[in-house]
Amino acid sequence: MALKRILSAVRSGTPRLSPLSTAPATHERPAANPGVVPGRGAAAPVRPPVPTVDFNNAQEAYRSRRSWELARNLLVLRLCASRVLLAHHEQLLRLTSRLLGQRLFDKLMKMTFYGQFVAGEDQESIRPLIQHNKAFGVGSILDYGVEEDLSTEEAGRQEMESCTSEAERKDRGASKREKQYQAHPAFGDRRDGVISARTYFYANEAKCDSHMETFLRCIEASGGASDDGFTAIKLTALGRPQVLLQFSDVLTKWRRFFHQMAAEQGKAGLAATDTRLEVAALQESVAKMGIASKKEIESWFTAETLGVSGTLDLLDWSSLIDSRTELSKHLVVPNMQTGELEPLLSGFTEEEEQQMTRMLQRMDTLAKKASEVGVRLMVDAEQTYFQPAISRLTLEMQRKFNVEKPLVFNTYQCYLRDAYDNVTLDVELARREGWCFGAKLVRGAYMAQERARAAEIGYEDPINPTYEATNAMYHRCLNYVLEELKHNTKAKVMVASHNEDTVRFTLRRMEELGLHPADCQVYFGQLLGMCDQISFPLGQAGFPVYKYVPYGPVMEVLPYLSRRALENSSVMKGAQRERQLLWQELKRRLRMGSLFHRPA
């Protein structure tokens, strides 16, 4: 029962789930109760209206940029629009490096792609850009952009080895995990089809320690460069991915079992936060399955563990995976193929248990350092077969560190069909337990890969069917969180989007809800070198806005630069508008004789 001990360890020092209210379930938000949810109930002072932001004013948008920087931006965008160049960009970069030599190649890159998308080579060299952007109202999310240059074959080999447990190797690949949570050789190289996210591959525990040290340096650099910075981290950099797969499988099976029980009680199809099981009926079903004696079952569902409402919801159900309940040793779920009951908490080897423990220790070390230097952590979302575990472990860190204010931010991918359920459940959990909700909303970075993997392996596509459906999901999730922020002054959200319509939607809802930028509850985020016509007007109007700022040596960030070039080509509508505004401002400066404009 190693997983039980791990879960117990990660939850030590964190609050238990509050007992359920005896009041009937309702769709309305609970009344203000500052004793339970931080920030609720405070009298809101009269505030001036939300400032107006003009995204069509090129002069204001590029006030922080010299003319040669605008010209570079135009050149890079034009090159990114060339399909021929993009199709062969990696070969062209290698050839240019050989022809020019390292020194000249570095200079060329700093004049073009590197200078556009990367802040500098080290912590010292990035400081001027961070401080310059800050002077114009734009903060920084630091990320060390160095990536390993592995071949497809080597990446696939490392992935298959690190995603297979010791027991599976002994059984020659046999796995009790569901297909979605098993490694597949066709998708061993997780970089394939992904243009907007960095990928880490597991080599050994020493490499994970090295990644942790890199993140620590990022946190220190962010704390030294500004007083309100962020640092982005990925959990696949901090531990063996097989542990995340196995844990994700456990969490998904347990949630599915809840919905099966709900269907038996005639409650299928309800929203996640509205689905409640009748405890008496649940006890009867569990007894019929032969999981335990009736007397044992009655002791699991007591007022002490679940409240006195006579029902339990998905949050209560999830809390049962905890070594402090007698139920944990009996947890079983039906096998979807055989119909037989199987243990939910399957055993780890001693080494695998230690690997999980070390991953949690690394997360804890990073959060403590961030707390010390006043930097907030953003835990990036990853592939769906890792994400349930990533979200759960991030949630545990939020319980521990988001006591007075959000220090740890979870990321929600709104191209997922279950994004709204995930957001609403976590908001409700934060309310009950009294910690501060912190979220980053993104559309998602793995769509093509996720679709191909689901089709190949044979499970339901987790992605929304259309781009329009993803936009609707993003706005639905965002609207729900903004409504929460209206009632909870300590909750925060980052709207991480290059979509101008989404930013306009956010500004409109902020005005309607009375969310003022001076309260710093709603942040905006874009990548360095992209969509300055959105970031800088927001910052100059007083909205908290951040650039995702990578740094690292030229040759070691080439994979990152390749993705930025591809990403610019994939968002042509936004890139065309950006080019129009850049040309507009350059021509204005030429007419006005201000080509040598100096930002001030």
Side-chain angles (χ1 to χ4, degrees):
M1 304 303 284
L3 186 54
K4 284 167 32 184
R5 294 196 295 273
I6 292 166
L7 284 167
S8 179
V10 75
R11 296 195 68 178
S12 62
T14 61
R16 293 287 305 274
L17 193 69
S18 301
L20 289 179
S21 167
T22 56
T26 174
H27 292 283
E28 296 179 3
R29 295 179 179 276
N33 186 348
V36 177
V37 181
R40 287 182 179 270
V46 177
R47 304 301 299 271
V50 175
T52 301
V53 182
D54 184 1
F55 296 117
N56 297 310
N57 188 332
Q59 182 178 352
E60 281 301 302
Y62 300 113
R63 186 159 58 90
S64 66
R65 295 289 178 251
R66 293 181 172 88
S67 297
W68 68 264
E69 291 176 298
L70 303 187
R72 179 186 66 193
N73 198 343
L74 272 170
L75 172 64
V76 169
L77 287 173
R78 175 57 63 187
L79 292 174
C80 289
S82 170
R83 293 184 179 181
V84 175
L85 284 176
L86 285 178
H88 305 286
H89 73 279
E90 292 181 352
Q91 299 95 312
L92 287 171
L93 286 173
R94 294 192 189 98
L95 176 62
T96 306
S97 176
R98 286 198 298 269
L99 290 175
L100 296 180
Q102 192 62 53
R103 186 176 175 183
L104 285 177
F105 178 75
D106 284 2
K107 286 188 176 181
L108 175 64
M109 292 303 294
K110 288 179 179 180
M111 291 169 61
T112 54
F113 288 95
Y114 182 96
Q116 181 70 19
F117 298 120
V118 182
E121 298 202 36
D122 52 38
Q123 296 177 27
E124 288 304 313
S125 63
I126 66 176
R127 193 183 296 267
L129 183 139
I130 290 173
Q131 293 175 344
H132 175 81
N133 284 353
K134 186 63 179 174
F136 288 89
V138 178
S140 298
I141 305 170
L142 289 195
D143 179 50
Y144 190 60
V146 172
E147 301 182 24
E148 289 183 282
D149 191 14
L150 298 176
S151 67
T152 298
E153 294 74 19
E154 179 62 16
R157 184 190 65 77
Q158 286 191 15
E159 182 73 0
M160 292 304 295
E161 285 183 0
S162 62
C163 287
T164 306
S165 69
E166 184 65 29
E168 288 166 348
R169 280 193 288 271
K170 288 180 179 177
D171 292 342
R172 298 184 179 181
S175 175
K176 292 184 178 180
R177 297 202 298 270
E178 295 192 5
K179 289 186 287 186
Q180 183 176 358
Y181 302 106
Q182 295 179 30
H184 192 286
F187 301 93
D189 187 352
R190 286 184 280 113
R191 301 168 299 185
D192 188 33
V194 177
I195 62 172
S196 57
R198 176 136 48 104
T199 303
Y200 289 92
F201 293 96
Y202 179 86
N204 49 50
E205 291 298 295
K207 189 69 173 178
C208 294
D209 286 334
S210 175
H211 290 150
M212 181 189 71
E213 292 298 328
T214 298
F215 289 145
L216 285 171
R217 288 193 292 272
C218 272
I219 292 169
E220 290 171 351
S222 184
S226 68
D227 56 1
D228 62 347
F230 287 89
T231 293
I233 66 171
K234 280 185 179 288
L235 293 202
T236 49
L238 299 177
R240 189 181 181 90
Q242 175 252 322
V243 173
L244 295 175
L245 284 173
Q246 197 161 343
F247 194 14
S248 292
D249 184 57
V250 166
L251 295 169
T252 301
K253 284 177 177 175
W254 192 234
R255 179 180 285 203
R256 184 182 294 122
F257 192 20
F258 173 86
H259 289 297
Q260 287 176 324
M261 294 293 99
E264 282 190 14
Q265 295 187 17
K267 299 177 180 179
L270 296 176
T273 51
D274 296 332
T275 306
R276 308 183 73 84
L277 301 183
E278 300 294 332
V279 171
L282 178 62
Q283 289 173 335
E284 216 172 293
S285 297
V286 172
K288 285 179 181 177
M289 291 179 184
I291 294 174
S293 70
K294 191 172 181 180
K295 186 175 181 181
E296 284 181 307
I297 295 167
E298 288 174 353
S299 70
W300 301 339
F301 305 104
T302 64
E304 181 184 352
T305 56
L306 296 175
V308 293
S309 67
T311 64
L312 77 160
D313 63 10
L314 186 53
L315 295 177
D316 307 308
W317 182 261
S318 299
S319 73
L320 295 174
I321 307 180
D322 185 333
S323 63
R324 283 172 285 189
T325 67
E326 282 296 312
L327 175 58
S328 59
K329 67 184 180 184
H330 294 284
L331 290 179
V332 294
V333 291
N335 183 300
M336 300 300 288
Q337 280 72 43
T338 66
E340 296 178 357
L341 294 173
E342 294 181 348
L344 179 68
L345 301 179
S346 55
F348 283 68
T349 65
E350 184 177 347
E351 173 58 23
E352 288 164 350
E353 180 180 351
Q354 290 173 354
Q355 289 168 351
M356 177 62 137
T357 301
R358 286 194 288 266
M359 178 188 289
L360 298 172
Q361 289 170 342
R362 293 179 188 115
M363 291 175 65
D364 193 70
T365 298
L366 293 174
K368 285 177 178 175
K369 171 58 74 172
S371 180
E372 288 171 9
V373 300
V375 171
R376 290 154 293 184
L377 284 186
M378 284 196 162
V379 181
D380 284 343
E382 305 192 45
Q383 285 89 347
T384 52
Y385 42 94
F386 294 136
Q387 195 55 42
I390 290 171
S391 291
R392 176 62 183 263
L393 296 176
T394 302
L395 185 150
E396 301 296 349
M397 292 296 103
Q398 290 179 310
R399 279 180 166 133
K400 183 173 182 179
F401 291 97
N402 290 13
V403 178
E404 297 297 329
K405 59 183 179 180
L407 178 84
V408 179
F409 283 61
N410 199 2
T411 300
Y412 299 89
Q413 301 175 101
C414 295
Y415 68 3
L416 297 180
R417 296 173 189 264
D418 61 358
Y420 185 74
D421 282 349
N422 294 334
V423 169
T424 55
L425 284 168
D426 287 357
V427 167
E428 175 60 23
L429 187 65
R431 289 178 194 155
R432 291 188 192 181
E433 295 186 342
W435 46 269
C436 301
F437 181 77
K440 177 176 75 169
L441 298 184
V442 300
R443 279 173 170 77
Y446 307 96
M447 182 176 70
Q449 186 187 94
E450 293 278 10
R451 287 198 190 285
R453 191 176 189 272
E456 174 70 22
I457 299 176
Y459 56 88
E460 184 182 3
D461 184 355
I463 308 297
N464 288 315
T466 63
Y467 179 76
E468 290 72 24
T470 290
N471 279 345
M473 178 65 80
Y474 193 105
H475 289 183
R476 186 185 182 199
C477 293
L478 175 57
N479 191 59
Y480 184 89
V481 175
L482 292 175
E483 290 274 3
E484 173 67 13
L485 266 56
K486 178 181 179 181
H487 301 284
N488 182 354
T489 59
K490 289 194 175 181
K492 316 280 185 185
V493 66
M494 173 165 282
V495 182
S497 176
H498 297 111
N499 187 306
E500 192 174 310
D501 291 336
T502 292
V503 175
R504 291 182 186 277
F505 172 84
T506 308
L507 296 177
R508 186 176 73 250
R509 290 298 290 138
M510 287 178 69
E511 185 168 14
E512 292 167 353
L513 294 168
L515 297 171
H516 200 276
D519 296 327
C520 294
Q521 285 186 274
V522 182
Y523 308 114
F524 295 88
Q526 290 85 38
L527 293 167
L528 183 70
M530 293 177 65
C531 294
D532 283 356
Q533 80 278 8
I534 293 177
S535 307
F536 284 89
L538 284 170
Q540 287 156 196
F543 289 86
V545 61
Y546 291 80
K547 285 291 193 182
Y548 187 94
V549 177
Y551 66 98
V554 173
M555 292 304 293
E556 295 181 51
V557 299
L558 286 183
Y560 175 85
L561 293 174
S562 294
R563 291 204 313 274
R564 291 290 74 79
L566 292 168
E567 185 168 13
N568 270 280
S569 71
S570 70
V571 288
M572 289 305 297
K573 182 180 177 182
Q576 287 172 358
R577 172 163 167 72
E578 192 168 357
R579 287 203 302 269
Q580 289 169 358
L581 290 172
L582 285 163
W583 271 120
Q584 182 180 324
E585 174 58 10
L586 273 176
K587 286 187 285 187
R588 187 199 67 80
R589 291 184 184 183
L590 184 61
R591 288 196 310 269
M592 302 298 294
S594 56
L595 272 179
F596 297 100
H597 166 77
R598 283 184 168 276

